[in-house]
Amino acid sequence: MQQTLQDTVKTQILVIGNGMVGHHFIEQLRQRDAGCRVTVLCGEPQLAYDRVYLSSYFTGTPFSELSMSTEQWYQEQQVDLQLNCWVERIVPTERLVYCRDGRVYSYEKLVLATGSYPFVPPIPGNDQPHCLVYRTLQDLQNIEASAAQSKVGVVIGGGLLGLEAANALKQLGLETHVVEFAPQLMAVQLDQAGGALLAQKIQQLGVTVHTGKGTQAIVPGTQCRYQLQFADGSTLETDLVLFSAGIRPYDQLGRSSGLAVGERGGIVINDLCQTSDPSIYAIGECALWQQKIFGLVAPGYQMARVVADQLVNQQQATLTFSGADMSTKLKLLGVEVGSIGDAHGKTPGAMSYLFTDPKAGHYKKLVVSQNGKKLLGAVLVGDTSPYDTLLQYALNGMPLPANPEQLILPASGQTVLPALVLPDSATICSCHNVAKGDIVGAIGAGVCDLASIKQCTKAATGCGGCSALLKSVVDEELKARGVEVSNHLCEHFAFSRQELLHLIQVEGLTTFYQILSQHGKGHGCEICKPTIGSLLASVHNEYVLKKPHVGLQDTNDTFLANMQKDGSYSIVPRIAGGEITADKLIVIGQVAKDYNLYCKITGGQRIDLFGARLEQLPQIWRLLVDAGFETGHAYGKSLRTVKSCVGSTWCRYGVQDSVGQAIAIENRYKGLRAPHKIKMAVSGCTRECAEAQSKDIGIIATERGWNLYVCGNGGMRPRHADLFATDLDTETLISYIDRILMFYIKTADRLTRTSVWLEKLDGGLAYLQDVVINDSLGIASELEAQMQRLAGTYACEWKATLDDPQSLKRFRHFVNSDKADPNILFVEERAQIRPATAEEKQQFQLQIPVKNLTEESIA
């Protein structure tokens, strides 16, 4: 029953909405004033949660990890939070708010943080079952339930949210399509060329893109649940439709209460975020400032700070809202994308620099002023490494170098802007409006580690996109003050890789979320997840696709094969020491012939089979495993190969059995997970036919035993291995290798080869020899025991997958369908297949004959 006015709940500041922006307002208000009476009315049943990481729910992140606070926090802040409390109307003349359940609240100041809702185009049939939106936690549950009954999913909308939604459908195993009305993807953020490359890269990853398509109706399908009918007469069958065609401000309360509203929606605000009623404020996506709606979280946070300042400091308030930078950097379906400022070059007189690398799939564009001195905008697709530097040039109006193209050309000049040259006014974190001067001030006040800097300034605690730049600023400022620099893994863990390894070992931690809840914060990222996945494998050696671990892996580890540029996979069975029987050669040849795979003998004496589709991987593995093969771990940061010459068995110069030794060593260390890949070799004499001195572990036979070389590598920066010990017997040789590798796993940073590790090791080679040979740290037996346990628990990951029905479910391109990925096409060249080029694919789709493209070569 509706309450009377005598029952009205009186409050000083009333907030409607408890999303990310509303929650941030409460934080900012309480930082400034702990005493004012505050009530928050939230329409959802959950506490405020992080919408930026909403899609991580589909990779196993529980709802609790997305929550931005707890009920206890609201109690401690003396905030009256009402969940499931839907506001129906506001009466500004009486300063009253009426709720659906009959409650009535009065206010002195009202803050509207009602956000936005998904725009669903007025398409006939858009209200049918399995026609969904992607916005809230409840939406995710609806999508998951629908996907369980579907094979094909379509996202209508090719903007930022649309591609996030497409990623969600792909993670759920559906054949995924994106339909965009504009002629390109992300038309707001990217230029035509950048949008085209993004579409190409996304299609290579298995999502079909349809641009320039206006959907006119959703009708019953013939092969799927529905059929989309387009304006050009074409159609597309689907079981699930996910609308992500933009947002609309949730301005109904403002509209119905007589507040000024924009022609196309949004509650009009001034620079103080006041509405047309000075006692009512609007912040976030419901607010319209100078005819602009800001759909990112950072501008909403800025508005929240302005209102908190106004309500607490009143006449002495200094903050105003003057717009926001809408630059963005993100990874969509695994493709790096960045957009800064005037990406389309619309500024009069603007000039553009373009760099394209078709082989790597990189597109970079700089937009500069007419005089070439100021950066106006940028587009980055495929490689966003210059983003932080370019953003600082743009935001701070810093003069460009004489040759601006250096900023986007690979390895040609300054591509990283030293943090020390940034002015104190430079914005480091746009989400929380943290300038470089704020960080320098915190360090000057005695805050000397990255975690504490984040805690006191809030930098890198929003979207996390500024994490690398923040670390650079902190590191350089600490170095300038003579302070030792922190080596924290990332913004989620205030520990180094080595410290996390020790925590895992000492506390017996076995899952990422255990480690995150006890020693980290946030939701994790592409740095810490695979790193901790590797650490867990190095300590516990559990199956990498076991449920708690599978969401941590990179693409290659997830599918136990190397993804190639066309979305197909390559398979490398282990051939220990390069020795193989004729029968096994025949099996490899037969597999390659049956599945039409490209064959290549690798530099590590193995055979690489290219061109396998995702759904074919288990079939191929079964044939190889049944023939006695195991995974070669070509996909992992682990031991790859132990190369060998034929040694004394055949060679007239050989003095030891290098093949036998290589096989024994490879079988001991196979599957060993490490900070980076490991390569080894064994040569049967000093003629060095196995090239052991360019390997992480190199062994050369002598008449008295084995010489051991360490920490060499080829690649971009070749390094000759160092002679570690001479004339070793086999038992001593193995014990030394055990100790070296385990010490490397314990002490190296992530993605660090042994060569770089040794160069950074305090004391270098002499120190490593002292630890391993002289046991100066007293840990030799411990290192050997740990290695023995890892060797004793080895299991072939291919075989483990074949024996696990749950894991096998992910090896289908489409759920409940054996249909092949239509984007994978091959062309015959030199009597083998190769991936078709984009031009050849287009010709095939237009039914133009392509030389050497046959039905048998279509995957």
Side-chain angles (χ1 to χ4, degrees):
M1 189 174 76
Q2 185 166 335
Q3 294 180 337
T4 65
L5 292 185
Q6 287 74 22
D7 299 320
T8 298
V9 180
K10 295 179 174 61
T11 190
Q12 191 172 352
I13 297 174
L14 183 64
V15 183
I16 301 177
N18 190 43
M20 295 179 71
V21 173
H23 177 75
H24 188 71
F25 168 72
I26 299 300
E27 289 182 321
Q28 294 296 309
L29 187 68
R30 279 298 182 238
Q31 286 180 18
R32 294 167 170 82
D33 183 354
C36 58
R37 296 193 309 277
V38 182
T39 299
V40 178
L41 307 181
C42 175
E44 288 193 70
Q46 298 95 359
L47 298 173
Y49 54 87
D50 194 336
R51 294 188 195 274
V52 174
Y53 293 96
L54 203 58
S55 61
S56 66
Y57 166 72
F58 293 115
T59 60
T61 302
F63 284 165
S64 58
E65 297 293 335
L66 293 170
S67 180
M68 301 182 72
S69 61
T70 62
E71 291 186 12
Q72 182 181 355
W73 181 85
Y74 286 96
Q75 293 169 3
E76 292 171 350
Q77 300 299 318
Q78 295 183 324
V79 174
D80 179 17
L81 173 67
Q82 299 294 322
L83 299 177
N84 278 315
C85 186
W86 191 263
V87 175
E88 290 200 321
R89 63 190 176 103
I90 303 169
V91 182
T93 55
E94 300 176 6
R95 296 196 177 183
L96 294 175
V97 168
Y98 291 85
C99 301
R100 181 177 294 170
D101 61 6
R103 282 178 285 180
V104 182
Y105 291 85
S106 68
Y107 63 85
E108 293 180 22
K109 300 292 183 180
L110 176 64
V111 180
L112 300 177
T114 50
S116 63
Y117 62 92
F119 170 64
V120 177
I123 301 168
N126 65 6
D127 57 350
Q128 300 177 80
H130 303 280
C131 292
L132 308 170
V133 294
Y134 182 82
R135 185 67 178 166
T136 67
L137 290 175
Q138 182 60 53
D139 292 336
L140 298 191
Q141 293 175 320
N142 294 340
I143 292 167
E144 193 172 38
S146 176
Q149 308 170 48
S150 303
K151 297 179 182 179
V152 183
V154 169
V155 176
I156 296 182
L160 287 173
L161 291 177
L163 296 179
E164 281 281 353
N167 189 38
L169 295 188
K170 191 170 186 296
Q171 288 172 340
L172 289 169
L174 300 187
E175 175 186 333
T176 304
H177 299 257
V178 173
V179 174
E180 168 58 41
F181 178 75
Q184 67 169 82
L185 297 178
M186 290 183 65
V188 174
Q189 294 85 3
L190 302 182
D191 62 0
Q192 186 175 359
L197 178 60
L198 176 62
Q200 177 185 329
K201 293 176 78 70
I202 285 176
Q203 292 209 126
Q204 289 173 346
L205 295 172
V207 173
T208 305
V209 176
H210 310 264
T211 54
K213 295 286 187 182
T215 308
Q216 291 194 320
I218 303 173
V219 301
T222 56
Q223 297 181 348
C224 295
R225 189 175 287 125
Y226 300 123
Q227 182 185 87
L228 303 187
Q229 296 181 338
F230 300 125
D232 61 6
S234 61
T235 61
L236 177 63
E237 297 260 328
T238 184
D239 298 304
L240 184 159
V241 180
L242 193 51
F243 292 103
S244 189
I247 59 171
R248 295 293 183 268
Y250 220 115
D251 59 7
Q252 287 87 334
L253 288 175
R255 192 182 300 273
S256 63
S257 61
L259 299 180
V261 177
E263 183 179 345
R264 300 183 63 184
I267 302 169
V268 176
I269 61 170
N270 60 19
D271 292 353
L272 302 180
C273 298
Q274 288 174 309
T275 68
S276 54
D277 182 333
S279 66
I280 302 178
Y281 297 79
I283 57 178
E285 293 171 340
C286 68
L288 180 71
W289 179 83
Q290 294 191 4
Q291 302 302 311
K292 297 177 184 176
I293 296 288
F294 296 91
L296 298 179
V297 69
Y301 281 4
Q302 291 181 35
M303 294 178 188
R305 287 190 289 272
V306 169
V307 175
D309 187 48
Q310 291 293 322
L311 294 182
V312 173
N313 297 320
Q314 299 181 12
Q315 299 303 320
Q316 286 73 43
T318 58
L319 296 182
T320 59
F321 184 75
S322 56
D325 173 59
M326 297 297 284
S327 301
T328 185
K329 178 180 70 171
L330 63 164
K331 184 175 282 190
L332 297 166
L333 289 154
V335 181
E336 294 183 10
V337 179
S339 174
I340 295 173
D342 183 11
H344 294 275
K346 294 181 178 179
T347 304
M351 301 184 298
S352 297
Y353 292 89
L354 301 176
F355 170 75
T356 304
D357 183 346
K359 185 175 182 181
H362 295 168
Y363 172 78
K364 302 176 186 179
K365 172 184 176 182
L366 287 186
V367 181
V368 303
S369 60
Q370 191 169 14
N371 61 10
K373 294 183 178 180
K374 301 294 181 183
L375 180 65
L376 303 176
V379 175
L380 305 169
V381 178
D383 174 24
T384 55
S385 56
Y387 178 86
D388 288 339
T389 294
L390 298 178
L391 183 62
Q392 292 305 316
Y393 274 112
L395 292 181
N396 298 294
M398 299 171 63
L400 289 167
N403 299 306
E405 68 274 12
Q406 292 178 354
L407 297 172
I408 57 174
L409 293 177
S412 62
Q414 183 188 36
T415 56
V416 179
L417 187 66
L420 287 177
V421 309
L422 293 174
D424 281 351
S425 60
T427 299
I428 303 302
C429 174
S430 58
C431 287
H432 292 281
N433 196 32
V434 182
K436 179 187 173 184
D438 299 323
I439 297 165
V440 172
I443 293 173
V447 182
C448 293
D449 65 90
L450 188 62
S452 299
I453 291 288
K454 291 178 180 179
Q455 185 175 8
C456 70
T457 67
K458 295 292 184 181
T461 61
C463 72
C466 64
S467 301
L469 181 60
L470 173 66
K471 189 175 189 306
S472 175
V473 171
V474 172
D475 287 354
E476 291 197 24
E477 187 63 28
L478 290 175
K479 286 178 183 177
R481 295 169 183 258
V483 179
E484 185 177 353
V485 173
S486 163
N487 59 349
H488 294 167
L489 181 64
C490 67
E491 68 266 27
H492 303 109
F493 289 96
F495 300 95
S496 67
R497 179 189 174 278
Q498 298 93 311
E499 290 166 339
L500 284 170
L501 176 66
H502 295 153
L503 289 171
I504 291 170
Q505 289 179 316
V506 171
E507 299 180 17
L509 303 175
T510 58
T511 71
F512 175 78
Y513 289 111
Q514 270 186 335
I515 302 165
L516 185 67
S517 63
Q518 295 183 35
H519 301 289
K521 61 182 179 180
H523 312 293
C525 63
E526 61 190 37
I527 294 175
C528 59
K529 284 185 175 180
T531 299
I532 289 178
S534 173
L535 290 174
L536 290 170
S538 295
V539 173
H540 302 300
N541 209 21
E542 291 184 328
Y543 176 43
V544 295
L545 297 188
K546 186 178 177 181
K547 190 171 184 180
H549 308 317
V550 67
L552 308 178
Q553 312 303 329
D554 291 323
T555 299
N556 289 350
D557 276 293
T558 297
F559 296 112
L560 308 180
N562 284 3
M563 177 181 276
Q564 303 304 313
K565 67 179 184 179
D566 65 337
S568 66
Y569 292 82
S570 71
I571 296 168
V572 185
R574 186 169 299 285
I575 301 176
E579 181 181 83
I580 187 168
T581 64
D583 286 340
K584 285 189 174 182
L585 275 174
I586 291 170
V587 169
I588 289 180
Q590 193 63 50
V591 166
K593 186 174 181 180
D594 290 347
Y595 288 89
N596 193 25
L597 305 178
Y598 170 89
C599 299
K600 174 75 170 65
I601 296 177
T602 72
Q605 299 178 332
R606 301 196 293 191
I607 299 174
D608 205 341
L609 304 173
F610 292 82
R613 300 192 306 269
L614 181 64
E615 68 274 14
Q616 292 176 329
L617 293 177
Q619 304 165 23
I620 295 171
W621 294 341
R622 173 59 66 194
L623 295 171
L624 294 173
V625 168
D626 287 349
F629 287 103
E630 297 177 325
T631 173
H633 285 94
Y635 47 82
K637 298 294 184 286
S638 55
L639 175 69
R640 298 292 178 84
T641 64
V642 182
K643 187 177 181 180
S644 74
C645 63
V646 295
S648 60
T649 306
W650 292 90
C651 180
R652 57 190 172 128
Y653 299 108
V655 294
Q656 299 284 356
D657 179 10
S658 57
V659 177
Q661 186 69 284
I663 292 171
I665 288 174
E666 187 160 346
N667 284 330
R668 178 167 182 78
Y669 302 113
K670 61 188 178 184
L672 177 68
R673 298 281 172 160
H676 213 298
K677 61 185 176 185
I678 299 171
K679 296 183 179 181
M680 303 185 187
V682 182
S683 286
C685 73
T686 55
R687 291 175 179 267
E688 249 283 71
C689 292
E691 302 169 328
Q693 292 177 78
S694 64
K695 301 295 188 287
D696 298 278
I697 298 292
I699 302 161
I700 301 177
T702 71
E703 292 183 353
R704 294 181 296 276
W706 307 96
N707 286 352
L708 175 60
Y709 290 79
V710 298
C711 302
N713 68 256
M716 293 179 63
R717 193 168 67 90
R719 184 186 189 278
H720 198 281
D722 290 317
L723 180 61
F724 187 83
T726 60
D727 297 329
L728 303 175
D729 60 67
T730 295
E731 183 179 354
T732 304
L733 173 72
I734 297 302
S735 68
Y736 282 3
I737 297 175
D738 281 356
R739 298 174 190 180
I740 292 167
L741 291 179
M742 284 309 303
F743 194 55
Y744 164 60
I745 289 171
K746 282 176 172 289
T747 60
D749 291 330
R750 60 179 289 271
L751 301 181
T752 300
R753 291 293 300 269
T754 59
S755 55
V756 178
W757 169 67
L758 182 62
E759 290 169 358
K760 291 182 176 180
L761 202 60
D762 192 13
L765 179 66
Y767 173 72
L768 184 61
Q769 289 171 320
D770 201 26
V771 170
V772 171
I773 299 174
N774 302 324
D775 194 16
S776 60
L777 299 180
I779 60 173
S781 59
E782 176 188 340
L783 297 176
E784 289 181 31
Q786 289 171 342
M787 182 61 77
Q788 183 58 45
R789 193 180 71 81
L790 292 176
T793 54
Y794 166 80
C796 173
E797 291 163 358
W798 285 355
K799 187 176 187 305
T801 302
L802 293 171
D803 293 340
D804 182 8
Q806 194 64 35
S807 293
L808 285 174
K809 290 181 180 179
R810 69 175 50 250
F811 291 92
R812 278 189 172 183
H813 189 75
F814 306 121
V815 171
N816 300 327
S817 171
D818 294 327
K819 183 181 177 183
D821 183 354
N823 296 296
I824 299 178
L825 297 174
F826 300 120
V827 172
E828 189 174 297
E829 189 171 285
R830 296 190 298 275
Q832 294 206 84
I833 62 167
R834 66 160 171 81
T837 64
E839 182 180 356
E840 288 166 340
K841 286 183 179 182
Q842 186 176 20
Q843 290 177 6
F844 179 77
Q845 289 164 355
L846 294 174
Q847 297 185 337
I848 300 173
V850 180
K851 183 180 179 181
N852 295 329
L853 181 62
T854 65
E855 291 299 322
E856 288 74 19
S857 69
I858 300 171

